[in-house]
Amino acid sequence: DIQMTQSPSSVSASVGDRVTITCRASQGIGSWLTWYQQKPGKAPKVLIYAASSLQSGVPSRFSGSGSGTDFTLTISSLQPEDFATYSCQQANSFPWTFGQGTKVDFK
Amino acid sequence: QVQLQQSGPGLVKPSQTLSLTCAISGDSVSSSSAAWNWIRQSPSRGLECLGRTYYRSKWYNDYAVSVKGRITINPDTSKNQFSLQLNSVTPEDTAIYYCARGGWGSGAFDIWGQGTMVIVSS
């Protein structure tokens, strides 16, 4: 299985901050990388797919970049509703695997 | 819009079989553009894709190594749903179980069920 490693595991930030989360794959996955946001008691929600494509309805302050093994999710200006856990997931090969998650909380 | 509705018990005894169903509305279990997945989430294992079923001229199933031999995922075209059976469960199988649509084009689990908390306990 392809291992997905996120960093950091948690980040403390304030409203208006720029937040960057990275995800590294144990082998090349092209652009088969999705970013999710998850809030307590809810299923994950797609933010970015194909490494850099913004899912319909997702605010433009979210952006993704990268290819191969190294990927980044950036929140340009953190909003109150963005405090949540963010996970990456690869779809290069089955099983589609997830990173361990990054929790964004209040500083 | 596409929706997935899960059903099934939230408490299963050790060594017994966990059974869940996912009813699809707004799409078809036979769709050629998607696979239908079961994913679980626990504090110890995080998000873990257990397996999927999909139709490409015939039915296919893929299962994760971690549960292979214990898992069956079946499509039901008459009811437009799919199911999960996980045999010989242990407390390690305690988790939130989700069904989800996986898009071949996007590589994303773009539609999720509401989740079912399953506890394995006597």
Side-chain angles (χ1 to χ4, degrees):
Chain A
D1 296 1
I2 296 176
Q3 307 303 314
M4 306 300 291
T5 304
Q6 287 180 236
S7 60
S9 56
S10 65
V11 57
S12 295
S14 301
V15 172
D17 283 353
R18 182 182 184 89
V19 174
T20 300
I21 299 167
T22 63
C23 179
R24 175 165 288 177
S26 60
Q27 63 189 74
I29 60 170
S31 295
W32 292 106
L33 194 284
T34 300
W35 288 100
Y36 297 88
Q37 178 192 68
Q38 189 175 21
K39 296 183 177 179
K42 299 292 187 182
K45 168 190 167 185
V46 175
L47 299 175
I48 303 285
Y49 65 94
S52 60
S53 296
L54 191 68
Q55 179 78 337
S56 176
V58 174
S60 59
R61 63 180 178 272
F62 292 95
S63 64
S65 64
S67 67
T69 59
D70 293 305
F71 301 86
T72 299
L73 173 70
T74 299
I75 310 171
S76 60
S77 178
L78 198 67
Q79 297 303 300
E81 60 269 30
D82 300 337
F83 291 94
T85 298
Y86 295 84
S87 299
C88 61
Q89 168 251 314
Q90 67 80 23
N92 183 73
S93 62
F94 184 84
W96 294 3
T97 47
F98 293 84
Q100 80 279 15
T102 296
K103 186 175 182 179
V104 177
D105 60 17
F106 292 98
K107 183 181 288 184
Chain B
Q1 76 276 22
V2 181
Q3 291 185 319
L4 303 179
Q5 181 66 41
Q6 298 178 218
S7 59
L11 180 63
V12 183
K13 288 181 167 48
S15 81
Q16 295 195 343
T17 297
L18 182 162
S19 297
L20 296 172
T21 299
C22 183
I24 304 165
S25 58
D27 199 349
S28 170
V29 71
S30 304
S31 169
S32 60
S33 61
W36 303 94
N37 297 262
W38 286 99
I39 297 164
R40 67 183 177 185
Q41 185 173 29
S42 64
S44 58
R45 302 174 76 104
L47 285 159
E48 178 184 20
C49 179
L50 301 177
R52 65 188 180 187
T53 188
Y54 58 96
Y55 185 77
R56 290 287 182 94
S57 302
K58 67 175 186 176
W59 287 101
Y60 294 87
N61 290 302
D62 295 315
Y63 299 130
V65 169
S66 61
V67 291
K68 210 162 193 175
R70 296 198 295 135
I71 186 172
T72 304
I73 296 175
N74 281 323
D76 183 342
T77 56
S78 66
K79 296 181 179 178
N80 201 31
Q81 63 186 30
F82 63 108
S83 62
L84 167 70
Q85 286 196 305
L86 187 64
N87 302 325
S88 305
V89 297
T90 73
E92 293 283 303
D93 295 310
T94 293
I96 301 172
Y97 285 75
Y98 293 100
C99 59
R101 184 179 76 172
W104 293 120
S106 65
F109 297 114
D110 58 355
I111 305 293
W112 294 67
Q114 78 274 24
T116 302
M117 179 69 214
V118 177
I119 297 172
V120 179
S121 174
S122 53

